[in-house]
Amino acid sequence: MVLRKRDSEFRHLGVSYLEFKRVEMDRVLTGFLMRVNHNGQTSKMVRGKTLANEFVDEFRAQEHAEKFQGFRDSPDIARSWIETQLLDMVNRGRPNQAVAGLRPLHGLTYKFRNHHHSRAYGADAQLYEMLRHARGGRGTMALEKIRAFFFTGLDPALGTQLAGTGVDVETQAVLHLNSQVKQDSPATVKGWYSAPPLCAGQSDLLADDVLRLLSLQDLLPRIVMVEYLKILFAFHLALGQLKAMKLLPSAVERSAPEPTCGPENCPSGTGDSVGGFASCPFRVGLLVDAAGVPGTPVAALAEHSADVWLRRVPGFVRAGYVVRKLGEFADHLADAKEIIRPSRGFFTVAELLQYAGEAYRERREQFFASRMDTLLDEAPIDEQPEGVRPLLSAGMGLGAFEKYIELIMAYRGKYHYDYIVETIDSLLLKNRPGAVITQPHRGRRRFVMDSALLEVLVQIALLRPNPRGTRSRFPYHTEQLRLDEFMDTLRTRYGLHVDRLPADDGFPTHGFEEQAALRSNAEAFTTRMREIGFYSDLSDAYLTQVITPRFAISLDGAITTGGR
């Protein structure tokens, strides 16, 4: 039996904007910058098929020879630079390679995307809404900083190119292309609304990390900062999804939101204390293999850690379907004037959960009994999947709503499981620079800590809010950090466990073998820190084994390199 769309529809914007497909962060960032430029909306501009030759010919044209010197004289070098540095390609290097768009090195690159090849599958919207709803004004400030960084060379009011602005060659190329396209405008999508994320603290942490990282933009090459941001965005999108996999099933089970969750109650902290998830009942815990070597005792622990999280996916899918179907039920009641629709125009997840309670049981059973009758008319019980037939019999004592959810899960549960795992893999950058998860061929997944992500997180961890405020040109100054303090920061701020086991996420107890594996993991972590250039053993004294910034920023804004 093929379910109708109304039965199989899974996504609810209050749960996530993700469509749960494999995403590429270049395309996510491109879509995100489009939303930044249109206050959360998409653009009406849609481009068709674009070939690499069109970009090459544009920059090698005689009339642009003065602006792009040397391009016309060295066609092979020009093509190589354009294809590798400027263009985002699908099937790169293969006969069927195609242009997805420009690499997101500037805010205007979305104007040149090929919509068919540059889909973000809702990750761009999820990222934008996480920042938009960060508390204490941090989200708004982060979006403003992102706009200022990515839309460089443009008048912020008019959107026109600023004369005499010193920009890098990639930005110059994008601004040149932008001068030749029509003005775009935001598009209105039916049924779209701005929903707060399930975890307010995760949004706060994302905004805080963005503000810290962008404070270094004048000290790092632009292309390096863009790569840092892509890795950071992917990491936070993944953390938000993992947290939702714990939070949503719990809320659905109790038919009410968690009392400690929400913008008013989130215990993660605000201001300078943001990221303190120690008292969060849904904090994320990942045991990461710092050495990245399969077959070791710590690799086995990291494999177990990943398996614990993958086993949470079915529960999340079921909870997601419950919320989606309660939303359809609430919409039906509102259309029938039995309840009043919220003035904002949509129901939040917390509001929908009340319709799973006893007060609405009879009306809910009537609504879903009608849907069940339709499904069973098309395929009677004896034609249903074998595993679900007993649940549909009267002897099981399940109500119409529970039967309806179980039937949908029988048909669509495995489908969503596969795609959600694929989404998590892509957000955790599996087997790529910045990866938090890896999987050898035909092997098991395990959590790791790639050097590219480690470099981003250590840059952020060494920054402290500058008490001098605007009297310094930098809003943050740097401080040295002991190695054990940094591991504590990774654990409490992001849930990345190096020298301890995440007790709430698959490791309730541990023995001598686990302790030995953790000591080995901490040593491998120390080696990794030394390899990326942030750590050196100054002496045998434990307290002098510190992490130092590459650029030391003093309270008065003075910069020294090396930090030693």
Side-chain angles (χ1 to χ4, degrees), residues 274-309:
V274 67
F277 290 108
S279 59
C280 174
F282 305 106
R283 59 186 177 273
V284 172
L286 316 177
L287 191 280
V288 295
D289 174 13
V293 178
T296 63
V298 75
L301 295 176
E303 289 173 355
H304 175 71
S305 184
D307 185 62
V308 167
W309 281 97

Side-chain angles (χ1 to χ4, degrees), residues 26-27 30 50-57 59 78-90 92 97-105 109 112-113 170 173-174 177 230:
D26 272 351
R27 289 140 213 186
T30 297
T50 305
L51 301 176
N53 288 340
E54 297 179 34
F55 291 97
V56 175
D57 293 343
F59 292 117
R79 169 179 285 277
S80 178
W81 179 83
I82 290 170
E83 289 191 359
T84 58
Q85 299 298 315
L86 200 61
L87 296 183
D88 174 23
M89 311 281 287
V90 295
R92 187 184 292 274
Q97 76 172 12
V99 177
L102 300 180
R103 292 182 62 202
L105 302 174
T109 52
F112 308 96
R113 76 197 190 285
E170 291 88 359
V174 174
L177 294 171
K230 282 194 297 185

Side-chain angles (χ1 to χ4, degrees), residues 102-119:
L102 300 180
R103 292 182 62 202
L105 302 174
H106 191 276
L108 296 175
T109 52
Y110 72 86
K111 293 185 178 182
F112 308 96
R113 76 197 190 285
N114 181 328
H115 178 73
H116 178 70
H117 292 307
S118 187
R119 298 186 61 184

Side-chain angles (χ1 to χ4, degrees), residues 288-292 449 451 454 458 481-487 490 498-499 517-539 541-542 544-548 564:
V288 295
D289 174 13
M449 171 83 70
S451 296
L454 186 58
V458 73
L481 197 63
R482 290 202 320 267
L483 193 64
D484 63 309
E485 292 176 329
F486 181 49
M487 286 190 283
L490 292 177
V498 176
D499 58 341
L518 292 174
R519 285 194 298 271
S520 173
N521 204 38
E523 292 172 1
F525 182 79
T526 303
T527 301
R528 182 65 61 86
M529 289 295 300
R530 188 180 295 112
E531 290 172 348
I532 65 174
F534 282 95
Y535 172 77
S536 62
D537 299 295
L538 300 180
S539 73
Y542 183 71
T544 62
Q545 297 177 357
V546 295
I547 303 169
T548 55
R564 298 184 177 91

Side-chain angles (χ1 to χ4, degrees), residues 449-462:
M449 171 83 70
D450 183 79
S451 296
L453 173 65
L454 186 58
E455 185 170 328
V456 174
L457 297 183
V458 73
Q459 295 271 30
I460 293 171
L462 293 172

Side-chain angles (χ1 to χ4, degrees), residues 209-245:
D209 277 0
V210 168
L211 290 172
R212 288 172 182 255
L213 191 57
L214 282 176
S215 71
L216 302 175
Q217 61 181 287
D218 294 335
L219 305 177
L220 297 170
R222 180 179 179 82
I223 195 169
V224 172
M225 179 58 72
V226 172
E227 291 302 313
Y228 275 6
L229 286 170
K230 282 194 297 185
I231 291 172
L232 184 68
F233 288 159
F235 181 53
H236 276 282
L237 284 169
L239 289 182
Q241 176 57 35
L242 294 177
K243 182 164 287 190
M245 286 162 50

